[in-house]
């Protein structure tokens, strides 16, 4: 077994998208090869309805897949295929834009006015860029959760983990998407296929993600005056942890435990031509997509 090194930790950056939704972006619109096959990851978390209620009005997508995972509040969605619905707490939607789709996503707060969710963009390989669009809506109750003896909990959203398989399937990036909670002071190792690119996104608590170059004993020390764990180089709320190659990731949870997403996928290794919500392989394909948006031929008729 080989431990994946931590290549980088960085904080998600505040940004504004849609009609004025305040969110934090962990990565996106920089180097698309960095976490290939993933292009963008947003954490939309707000306490004030005025920061999110104008939502994401009608906009196009082509050449990508998006996964939306809601933790609190709801998201109403409508699209050009005639689909509509509402994602609630714990629900997931995987949207394959393929050849082209127009949709809107309108978040609503919970009873306390709070909204929290994530959106991840996955690239499509050239052979599937113009595939027929489709949706997979998955209710929270359909997502398996595995609980280990030490209190570690894992929701298996996509892929297979600890004998459970997530309900979303047929995704080009062949991803694994896990929602992980590790209790305070617990050290845990998670296996990830060597050929996948992988990252973690911490959104509750703190943890140290072991680096192959750091001796295990260096990660922990105890206060002289008390027994509270003091973990060096901890990653806290809204932190992206990008891993190098290897087949396992080790995490040591901080004094309040940690909750994070652990996501991996097979790299596509193709050229990327990207502007806004459309991702193709060449500039010519990108220009054609925007020309079709202008002349009304962007949405392909269903066969």
């Amino acid at each position: 077994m080989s431990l994946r090194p931590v290549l980088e930790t960085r904080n998600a950056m505040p940004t504004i998208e849609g009609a004025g939704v305040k969110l934090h972006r962990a990565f996106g619109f920089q180097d698309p090869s960095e976490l290939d096959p993933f292009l963008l990851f947003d954490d939309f978390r707000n306490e004030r309805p005025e920061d999110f209620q104008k939502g994401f009005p009608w906009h196009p997508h082509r050449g990508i897949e998006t996964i939306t995972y809601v933790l609190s509040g709801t998201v109403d969605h409508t699209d050009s295929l005639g689909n509509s619905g509402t994602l609630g707490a714990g629900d997931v939607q995987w949207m394959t834009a393929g050849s082209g789709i127009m949709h809107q996503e309108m978040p609503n707060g919970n009873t306390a006015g709070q909204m929290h969710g994530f959106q991840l963009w996955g690239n499509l390989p050239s052979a599937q860029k113009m595939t027929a669009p489709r949706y997979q809506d998955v209710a929270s109750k359909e997502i398996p959760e595995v609980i280990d003896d030490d209190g570690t909990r894992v929701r298996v959203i996509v892929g297979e983990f600890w004998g459970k398989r997530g309900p979303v399937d047929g995704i080009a990036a062949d991803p694994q998407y896990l929602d992980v909670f590790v209790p305070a002071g617990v050290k845990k190792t998670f296996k990830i296929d060597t050929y996948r690119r992988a990252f973690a996104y911490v959104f509750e608590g703190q943890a140290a993600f072991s680096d192959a170059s750091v001796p295990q004993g260096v990660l922990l020390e105890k206060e002289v005056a008390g027994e509270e764990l003091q973990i060096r180089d901890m990653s806290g709320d809204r932190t992206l942890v990008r891993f190098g190659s290897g087949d396992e990731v080790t995490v040591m949870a901080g004094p309040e435990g940690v909750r994070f997403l652990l996501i991996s996928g097979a790299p596509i290794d193709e050229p990327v031509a990207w502007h806004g919500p459309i991702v193709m392989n060449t500039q010519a394909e990108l220009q054609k997509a925007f020309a079709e948006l202008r002349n009304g031929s962007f949405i392909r008729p269903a066969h």
Side-chain angles (χ1 to χ4, degrees):
M1 294 296 176
S2 60
L3 183 65
R4 284 179 177 252
V6 175
L7 296 181
E8 176 189 22
T9 60
R10 65 176 183 242
N11 295 327
M13 301 301 292
T15 189
I16 296 177
E17 282 291 351
V21 178
K22 293 182 179 179
L23 50 82
H24 283 73
R25 179 159 293 155
F27 62 88
F29 296 106
Q30 285 114 14
D31 178 3
S33 67
E34 184 180 71
L35 282 164
D36 178 19
F38 305 114
L39 297 165
L40 176 147
F41 182 86
D42 284 343
D43 177 349
F44 50 98
R45 181 187 335 182
N46 286 295
E47 304 286 327
R48 306 190 319 154
E50 56 266 35
D51 289 341
F52 63 80
Q53 59 190 3
K54 292 183 179 178
F56 306 90
W58 288 99
H59 59 280
H61 284 294
R62 176 179 284 181
I64 64 169
E65 301 183 281
T66 67
I67 183 168
T68 304
Y69 179 30
V70 177
L71 292 185
S72 60
T74 61
V75 177
D76 297 328
H77 65 90
T78 313
D79 69 54
S80 54
L81 301 176
N83 299 312
S84 63
T86 299
L87 298 175
D91 295 350
V92 173
Q93 179 191 85
W94 198 295
M95 186 271 289
T96 303
S99 62
I101 198 167
M102 299 286 293
H103 75 160
Q104 68 172 353
E105 301 153 299
M106 306 303 287
N108 300 286
N110 58 18
T111 53
Q114 300 162 327
M115 175 70 215
H116 192 191
F118 306 106
Q119 188 167 90
L120 173 70
W121 291 15
N123 199 6
L124 281 170
S126 56
Q128 297 181 40
K129 288 286 189 191
M130 300 301 287
T131 191
R134 68 170 181 149
Y135 277 86
Q136 295 182 67
D137 283 344
V138 179
S140 180
K141 64 183 180 183
E142 298 175 40
I143 298 173
E145 183 173 72
V146 191
I147 303 177
D148 206 0
D149 293 342
D150 58 14
T152 298
R153 299 195 308 269
V154 180
R155 297 191 86 209
V156 186
I157 295 168
V158 187
E160 191 167 347
F161 187 76
W162 286 353
K164 298 288 186 180
R165 175 164 285 281
V168 180
D169 63 6
I171 306 305
D174 186 27
Q176 185 182 58
Y177 190 126
L178 309 175
D179 176 352
V180 181
F181 170 77
V182 180
V186 171
K187 179 182 174 184
K188 206 72 180 172
T189 296
F190 301 93
K191 296 188 185 308
I192 298 176
D193 288 344
T194 306
Y195 71 91
R196 297 170 181 266
R197 296 263 168 80
F199 70 91
Y201 182 76
V202 179
F203 62 96
E204 286 179 14
Q206 293 180 312
F209 290 85
S210 300
D211 192 304
S213 64
V214 179
Q216 293 295 312
V218 173
L219 287 175
L220 287 178
E221 59 185 18
K222 290 189 177 181
E223 282 187 329
V224 176
E227 290 296 300
E228 285 192 17
L229 291 171
Q230 298 295 304
I231 302 180
R232 299 177 184 174
D233 301 321
M234 284 197 295
S235 296
D237 186 23
R238 292 195 178 107
T239 300
L240 173 76
V241 183
R242 191 163 63 91
F243 300 106
S245 59
D247 53 19
E248 60 184 27
V249 165
T250 296
V251 59
M252 174 69 81
E256 297 177 359
V258 66
R259 190 175 176 190
F260 60 96
L261 303 179
L262 183 59
I263 298 174
S264 61
I268 295 171
D269 290 327
E270 291 181 353
V272 173
W274 181 4
H275 184 77
I278 297 175
V279 183
M280 304 303 289
N281 293 102
T282 68
Q283 287 298 316
E285 291 170 340
L286 201 57
Q287 289 164 8
K288 181 182 179 184
F290 280 98
E292 290 177 352
L293 267 175
R294 291 191 295 270
N295 68 26
S297 62
F298 183 78
I299 303 299
R300 306 296 170 98
H303 295 293

